[in-house]
Amino acid sequence: MDNTLSPAFCGPARLTAAVFLGLILAGTLLLMMPFSTAGPQPGWAPFLPSLFTATSAVSLTGLIVVDTGTYWTPVGQAIILALIQLGGLGIMSLASLSGLLITGRISFKARKTGAAEGRPVTSGGIKHALIFTVAFTLLTEAVVAVVVALRLMVHYGHPPARAAWEGVFHAVSAFNNAGFSTNSDNLVPFAADAWILLPLAAALISGGLGFPVWAELTRRLRLRRLGKAQAHRFSITARITLAATAFLVVAGTVFVALVEWNGFLGGMPVWQKLLNAFFAGVSPRTAGFNAVNYADAHPITLMGTDILMFIGGGSAGTAGGVKVTTVCVLLAAMAAEFLGREDTSIGHRTLPRSATRQALALTFAGVVVVTAGVGALRLFDPEFTGDQVSFEVMSAFATVGLSTGITADLSAPSQIILCLIMYLGRVGPTTLIAALAARAVSRRFRYPEERPFIG
């Protein structure tokens, strides 16, 4: 029996983990430098706040133990922004590269299936994918940055330089689903400003859809202009991601509005309640921005937000969580079992059994990490409630960044554990799926079949 991993895992998967770890260590060192911290006593910043901030930035999480706008100098904030951008481009590029390399190693039949779905792999596919990723990222961030900067300058009277910097910082943070803000209370000051919240929501949804979906949408528009729109159909990944994203946006908005209408949304005009319910329903799917105080949220709201965080966004993008495609595959497998069907199908497409196993393995691994994290934090910091700790750990694993305000008050061991969970939450899914997809196990025998009792 050959249990060795193929080069497809040894390359992109290990490269992903190594690059992220290297970025975290480099960012930690830079943030520790005297030029990165503000205050009357210049000097080297403590190791743990620097490590936590660098890990949170590279993993696109947004959890903080020190205030971004006051603790770090403009140079320190620029370092954080660079880590966010590199983390976002890294995960998008490496995840896409991993997928393309894995696709390049599968059979000719699988290649034909990919071509039928509008995802042909050509010799220049990787190059074009990476160029499109970088160009789309920078273009989206630039548009959002201009809108936010103009709003800050015209409506709030910010000087042009400060408005431009905050526009760029929030645009990059939004598209990369990082959730970092230069404001001490995040986006709470803009809770009544749709010109700030809606562009940022558009950016975080765009980044959360994932590169493969945007590549297909772009190709579809190009073919439509050429009169060939019917030549290709959307892949199952694009259809799942778009449908699930639309459903979760609506469901999240309705859920928050129903539970918190007289809660943290109370006292707002109706239009502002709807605006903040929408933003609070969208942001948990890995963005981490908050325009309301989650310390005031109802326990049911925290539980529902935990679910949204765990699901996350689209694959091969800046979103975290186990991804919407993973959850949809599991739901389809459950439906097939309930209906007595042998095959699992979505959208008139039969899913390979390996996809179901991988989705199950990824989801179970996520549950194990979250459960272990909650247990560890409850052990080291028993003064916090289970709701608070679960929310914090889920936010770290799903690389969201939302918090009930306990992050800075956690003990050093708990903060280190959160660093590990953030790293695993960002690198783990890509690495695990690459390993599962590339693992080649060859047996010359089969054991006798015996069915155990289930349930």
Side-chain angles (χ1 to χ4, degrees), residues 20 23-24 52-63 80-92 141 172-180 207-208 283-289 316-321 323 395-402 422-423 425-427:
F20 274 76
L23 281 176
I24 290 172
F52 194 97
T53 303
T55 304
S56 184
V58 173
S59 64
L60 312 179
T61 302
L63 288 174
I80 293 172
L81 191 66
L83 294 175
I84 293 172
Q85 189 70 285
L86 290 174
L89 288 174
I91 190 61
M92 294 177 72
E141 291 172 349
V172 172
S173 183
F175 180 80
N176 290 286
N177 282 235
F180 275 88
S283 187
R285 297 184 52 246
T286 82
F289 284 122
T318 58
K323 307 298 189 296
S395 179
F397 169 75
T399 65
V400 176
L402 293 177
M422 287 188 288
Y423 178 75
R426 177 51 65 182
V427 177

Side-chain angles (χ1 to χ4, degrees), residues 248-264:
L248 290 174
V249 167
V250 174
T253 302
V254 172
F255 169 76
V256 174
L258 290 176
V259 178
E260 296 291 349
W261 193 263
N262 294 317
F264 59 54

Side-chain angles (χ1 to χ4, degrees), residues 336-357:
E337 192 65 29
F338 291 151
L339 296 174
R341 297 173 180 170
E342 185 175 350
D343 296 326
T344 301
S345 62
I346 297 179
H348 304 291
R349 289 290 185 269
T350 298
L351 304 181
R353 295 187 178 182
S354 60
T356 303
R357 294 197 302 268

Side-chain angles (χ1 to χ4, degrees), residues 71-407:
Y71 189 87
W72 307 107
T73 63
V75 175
Q77 294 175 22
I79 292 171
I80 293 172
L81 191 66
L83 294 175
I84 293 172
Q85 189 70 285
L86 290 174
L89 288 174
I91 190 61
M92 294 177 72
S93 301
L94 293 175
S96 300
L97 180 61
S98 298
L100 288 170
L101 289 179
I102 292 172
T103 304
R105 297 182 63 83
I106 60 177
S107 64
F108 177 77
K109 179 180 178 181
R111 285 172 177 264
K112 296 294 289 182
T113 302
E117 293 178 342
R119 295 180 287 107
V121 179
T122 63
S123 58
I126 295 176
K127 176 182 176 181
H128 294 156
L130 297 182
I131 292 175
F132 179 86
T133 298
V134 174
F136 180 76
T137 298
L138 297 180
L139 177 62
T140 305
E141 291 172 349
V143 171
V144 176
V146 169
V147 173
V148 173
L150 288 176
R151 181 63 173 176
L152 292 175
M153 187 168 56
V154 174
H155 185 74
Y156 294 93
H158 287 10
R162 179 186 172 189
W165 170 245
E166 293 195 8
V168 170
F169 192 97
H170 286 90
V172 172
S173 183
F175 180 80
N176 290 286
N177 282 235
F180 275 88
S181 175
T182 53
N183 301 308
S184 300
D185 44 2
N186 209 270
L187 299 183
V188 173
F190 309 112
D193 195 337
W195 285 97
I196 297 292
L197 296 187
L198 292 182
L200 294 180
L204 63 91
I205 293 175
S206 299
L209 283 178
F211 156 75
V213 173
W214 281 112
E216 286 197 47
L217 291 174
T218 303
R219 182 167 61 251
R220 186 83 170 185
L221 291 175
R222 184 170 63 251
L223 291 173
R224 183 179 293 275
R225 287 198 300 269
L226 297 175
K228 302 177 181 179
Q230 302 302 320
H232 296 280
R233 60 178 291 147
F234 282 121
S235 69
I236 192 65
T237 298
R239 282 183 281 165
I240 290 176
T241 303
L242 292 172
T245 298
F247 172 79
L248 290 174
V249 167
V250 174
T253 302
V254 172
F255 169 76
V256 174
L258 290 176
V259 178
E260 296 291 349
W261 193 263
N262 294 317
F264 59 54
L265 298 177
M268 300 179 182
V270 173
W271 70 267
Q272 190 177 342
K273 287 185 177 183
L274 295 176
L275 172 64
N276 282 273
F278 167 75
F279 196 79
V282 168
S283 187
R285 297 184 52 246
T286 82
F289 284 122
N290 67 284
V292 293
N293 189 355
Y294 277 88
D296 301 328
H298 192 280
I300 297 297
T301 303
L302 297 180
M303 183 183 71
T305 304
D306 284 339
I307 296 174
L308 291 174
M309 290 192 291
F310 188 77
I311 295 174
S315 300
T318 58
V322 297
K323 307 298 189 296
V324 292
T325 47
T326 302
V327 174
C328 288
V329 167
L330 290 180
L331 292 176
M334 290 175 59
E337 192 65 29
F338 291 151
L339 296 174
R341 297 173 180 170
E342 185 175 350
D343 296 326
T344 301
S345 62
I346 297 179
H348 304 291
R349 289 290 185 269
T350 298
L351 304 181
R353 295 187 178 182
S354 60
T356 303
R357 294 197 302 268
Q358 291 170 12
L360 181 61
L362 176 59
T363 303
F364 184 75
V367 171
V368 170
V369 171
V370 171
T371 302
V374 170
L377 262 66
R378 292 283 284 168
L379 177 65
F380 289 115
D381 293 280
E383 66 272 22
F384 298 113
T385 67
D387 288 336
Q388 291 175 312
V389 171
S390 299
F391 195 83
E392 200 79 10
V393 172
M394 189 67 76
S395 179
F397 169 75
T399 65
V400 176
L402 293 177
S403 174
T404 56
I406 69 171
T407 314

